[in-house]
Amino acid sequence: MKKIRKAVFPVAGLGTRFLPATKAMPKEMLPVVDRPVIQYVVDEARAAGVEHFIFVTGRNKAVIEDHFDRQVELEMTLSERNKKSELVALENDLPGAGTTSFTRQQSPLGLGHAVWCARELVGREPFALLLPDVLVHAKKGCLAQMIEAYLAIGEASNVIAVEEVPDDMTHMYGVVGTGKKRDNAFEITSMVEKPAKGTAPSNLIITGRYILQPEIFDMLSAHERGAGNEIQITDAMIRLSQRQAFYGLKFEGRTYDCGSKLGFLSANVAYALERDDLAPAFRTELQRLLAAK
Ligand code: UTP
């Protein structure tokens, strides 16, 4: 079995749900407490053993590339001011030299198209796909849990992170049908993108973390348009599932959809309440605000 060495981060979307904040700034750089959302997701991949980080970017996204590079002037100033802990924190956040690659999607034709744009950089090996606007708050990172499940399954298969939502919300997501249990995971028997109300095969939705075989690129190369006239990754996975096994993993942890305002605000509150330096004062302030409403 080939190791999962590479991870793809599609960051070329327009972030229209966050306008005007995202007019000139990528939504992936919005901070949750004091770290950009994308940093948490890259950290999750690093903790899972990923060695190469592939970003599919677009216009207005150059700041993401800068974020994962050194800022020599800033480092010199911090050093002159003896700000050692800040320097160490910056160093720790940085992926190693030569371990990042950036390619451009050119036009935001959909998530499936963004993934296809990474085909040359990924090559013919299985890879992880992480949607950077989904944060998973978990003791053990979501991707690490998935790689463990993938290795336990022990065959060249595809693994998708899934989570439960209330039945009346399934129509907003990609939903999977569940088959036999296999170790911690289960066989996926069907996938439907945004099923009409009352027709979903389960209440388990596709969450934003995937382990995919390289044949997904062959499916994506048809450039077929799906929902919203976009090239959808779910459509390509449905086609690939006719040839290869797909498994779902109900991971441990809680997700925050930072592409939506509510998810983003909730993530900020949840992550701030975990920080020893912030939590006591923040909790008091939250209680004061809630009492005043
Ligand atoms: P979303 O649909 O959540 O992102 O795609 P969006 O299109 O930027 O957001 P809204 O709906 O307009 O607010 C999920 C992920 O896929 C990337 C996005 O950057 C996001 O991380 N994506 C989406 C691309 O890279 N290219 C695309 O064409 C579409």
Side-chain angles (χ1 to χ4, degrees), residues 221-236:
S221 63
H223 295 310
E224 262 170 52
R225 304 275 181 143
N229 199 32
E230 291 194 341
I231 300 168
Q232 299 282 357
I233 190 76
T234 310
D235 293 339

Side-chain angles (χ1 to χ4, degrees), residues 10-18 27-28 56 61 105 107-111 113-114 131-133 230 257 259:
V11 292
L14 298 178
T16 55
R17 283 170 293 167
F18 255 106
K27 71 172 171 184
E28 296 80 8
V56 181
K61 302 279 182 167
Q105 191 187 7
S107 312
L109 301 179
L111 173 58
H113 182 259
L131 301 199
D133 42 10
E230 291 194 341
D257 174 8

Side-chain angles (χ1 to χ4, degrees), residues 196-241:
K197 278 191 179 170
T199 66
S202 75
N203 65 344
L204 291 173
I205 62 158
I206 299 174
T207 296
R209 300 284 186 273
Y210 314 72
I211 292 172
L212 296 168
Q213 297 296 320
E215 288 74 22
I216 195 75
F217 296 124
D218 308 334
M219 307 296 131
L220 287 167
S221 63
H223 295 310
E224 262 170 52
R225 304 275 181 143
N229 199 32
E230 291 194 341
I231 300 168
Q232 299 282 357
I233 190 76
T234 310
D235 293 339
M237 294 196 301
I238 291 171
R239 264 178 270 137
L240 186 56
S241 68

